[in-house]
Amino acid sequence: LNLDGFWLDIGTPKDFLEGCKAALCNLDLEKKGLGTYKTGNGFIGKVLVGSNCKIEEECEIGPNVVLGDNIVIKKGTKIKNSVLFSNVKVESHSLIDNSLIGWSSRIGRWVSIKGGLLGEDVEIGDEMILKGNIILPNVTVKNKELSNNDIIMF
């Protein structure tokens, strides 16, 4: 894939999100077959959606969101400035902001994730608040008291 215009180091999660935002704003990824831009009906700004995604009513997606393939987003969820990799499921009325959500992760109902980094196959229980947390792959977080910026390994 040849890209013209700019180069950006995306070696950290924060830089990766900035790189996605720059790509959404400056590249026609849809023409390159890398997803479909969505507008209207709950989509705000540039949102790139992979194949076979199911987004229920009353959701607000965007701006600057990339959704991988086979994503399920339930009613009333808000996602902005984030990337969700393939096969993620987000239950109803959750908020994901400025976060990276790894492959095959599951987010419960009424969850708030701000500035989070979730590895592959992470499960977050209902009614949890995460702020700046890093959660390593294959971890389930339910009924745990989390402090801001905690790193969860098991």
Side-chain angles (χ1 to χ4, degrees):
L1 177 65
N2 290 330
L3 303 176
D4 297 321
F6 64 90
W7 179 89
L8 182 65
D9 180 0
I10 57 169
T12 67
K14 180 182 174 188
D15 292 338
F16 183 83
L17 287 172
E18 284 299 314
C20 288
K21 180 179 177 179
L24 285 169
C25 291
N26 295 297
L27 301 175
D28 193 346
L29 299 173
E30 190 171 24
K31 273 190 180 176
K32 297 181 183 303
L34 298 175
T36 303
Y37 284 126
K38 295 286 188 178
T39 57
N41 293 335
F43 293 99
I44 302 164
K46 291 243 180 164
V47 176
L48 194 65
V49 179
S51 63
N52 198 34
C53 290
K54 296 179 177 107
I55 301 169
E56 291 186 357
E57 66 276 356
E58 300 177 30
C59 291
E60 290 182 18
I61 312 295
N64 308 315
V65 170
V66 177
L67 301 176
D69 297 335
N70 306 308
I71 302 278
V72 175
I73 301 173
K74 297 291 190 166
K75 180 180 178 178
T77 292
K78 296 182 181 185
I79 302 173
K80 56 186 177 178
N81 302 310
S82 297
V83 175
L84 282 64
F85 291 92
S86 295
N87 303 307
V88 169
K89 183 175 183 179
V90 182
E91 294 295 342
S92 63
H93 303 288
S94 290
L95 168 68
I96 299 172
D97 183 14
N98 205 35
S99 298
L100 293 172
I101 309 298
W103 299 268
S104 302
S105 290
R106 296 159 311 284
I107 312 300
R109 292 178 292 120
W110 296 100
V111 170
S112 174
I113 302 173
K114 294 184 179 181
L117 173 59
L118 278 58
E120 181 176 4
D121 191 34
V122 168
E123 182 175 353
I124 304 298
D126 294 342
E127 301 178 10
M128 303 239 10
I129 297 173
L130 287 75
K131 187 170 182 184
N133 298 100
I134 298 172
I135 303 181
L136 275 55
N138 306 306
V139 171
T140 297
V141 179
K142 293 183 179 179
N143 303 321
K144 290 185 182 178
E145 192 76 26
L146 296 181
S147 298
N148 293 346
N149 304 309
D150 273 351
I151 299 174
I152 310 300
M153 298 170 42
F154 50 90

